[in-house]
Amino acid sequence: MWEQRKWWDRIMLTIEEKSELFYIYYEKWIRIYKEGAIRNVTMRKYEITLLWLKKLVPELRLSQLNRISYQQLLNDYAEFHERQTTMDFHHQIKAAILDAVDEGFIDRDPTRKAIIKGRVPRIKKIKYLNQFELHTLLVHLKLTSEINWDWLIFIIAKTGMRFSEALALTPKDFDFLHQSLIVDKTWDYKGDGGFLPTKNKSSVRKIQLDWQTIIKFSEIIKGLPEDKPIFVNGRVFNSTVNGVLERYCKKLGIPVISIHGLRHTHASLLLFAGVSIASVARRLGHASMTTTQKTYIHIIQEMENRDIDLVMRSMAGLA
């Protein structure tokens, strides 16, 4: 009798869960499986997905999820977003749905053979400085005897580090003997501060430094606490450093770029200098060369055009 009762309770519970609103199930799912297990910035992406579910399918229930209703959801989302963003949306929801299928709340996987659509991507030309412009900026930085934002601008320009990676630098991250810099953490400037893991495993890396940079930093960080971030003294805002950089650019008559634009500048100069895509990808901490190729496709195309001209001149000289 007791076993029969448990069996009946389980059936009733499953019926209740199947009739639950999809966005409510998704909210429970991210709280149970994602909260505390992923970076805050990634968690916010899941929460944005939740907001879109509330907007697009506020009355859709788990029991109503099938291939047609799911495809319609993707189509509605794609009206407002580019294809890659729609793909990310799909992946975040699909993980929750597959768990619902495993639990028996949904009979079959409605995400199977889903078609990903989206708006035509806008042409995004990254902003960066050429070699002369970067040189002009660097020679005018006020690299005083005490750490300031100009030093942060300087080290990002020299290494191509992400803003959060540069903020997390401590004196012990500098290996002066081997002229290198260890990148193995980031700083949570968007949250409450403190060290965080790097963006991905590939972001943990050593960056070789030129001897001038080594000498400058060996002097400026002398006597500073080994384990404390060099550039952080209270709350840090990306806009503050961007403001400092913008004022320099305007004063010097060079294109106005953001602090992230210095990362692009670093990569662009390396590529134009003939450094391999693989080496640039490792230096930037990209997860794969594909990321580097996608980000700097227009520069790679310019280099290919230059190479074609060189090949043609070489071949013409053989006649």
Side-chain angles (χ1 to χ4, degrees), residues 129-130 132-138 245-246 248-257:
L129 303 177
N130 62 33
F132 173 76
E133 292 163 344
L134 180 61
H135 174 73
T136 302
L137 171 65
L138 295 183
L245 182 55
E246 180 180 351
Y248 268 118
C249 291
K250 287 181 176 178
K251 181 180 177 182
L252 299 172
I254 60 179
V256 175
I257 63 168

Side-chain angles (χ1 to χ4, degrees), residues 222-237:
K222 197 178 294 181
L224 294 179
E226 283 289 295
D227 296 322
K228 291 190 176 180
I230 296 167
F231 298 107
V232 178
N233 183 18
R235 189 75 189 272
V236 179
F237 296 95

Side-chain angles (χ1 to χ4, degrees), residues 23 26-27 30-31 44-58 77 89 92:
Y23 80 82
Y26 183 76
E27 184 171 19
I30 62 175
R31 299 301 169 208
R44 281 194 283 271
K45 292 177 182 178
Y46 279 92
E47 289 170 342
I48 290 171
T49 295
L50 173 61
L51 291 176
W52 274 101
L53 288 178
K54 289 180 180 179
K55 178 179 178 179
L56 297 175
V57 286
Y77 182 85
F89 178 78
Q92 287 190 343

Side-chain angles (χ1 to χ4, degrees), residues 1-9:
M1 182 70 178
W2 174 245
E3 289 298 323
Q4 192 175 18
R5 176 71 181 176
K6 283 172 64 178
W7 171 76
W8 176 252
D9 287 345

Side-chain angles (χ1 to χ4, degrees), residues 152-196:
L152 182 74
I153 291 170
F154 180 79
I155 195 65
I156 290 178
K158 286 281 190 169
T159 61
M161 282 190 294
R162 298 176 178 92
F163 180 63
S164 59
E165 294 172 342
L167 287 179
L169 286 177
T170 65
K172 74 173 185 179
D173 293 326
F174 287 84
D175 184 348
F176 296 118
L177 181 62
H178 298 96
Q179 287 191 208
S180 63
L181 189 60
I182 299 167
V183 178
D184 60 3
K185 57 192 173 301
T186 63
W187 186 259
D188 183 21
Y189 70 94
K190 292 182 180 179
D192 299 324
F195 293 117
L196 290 174

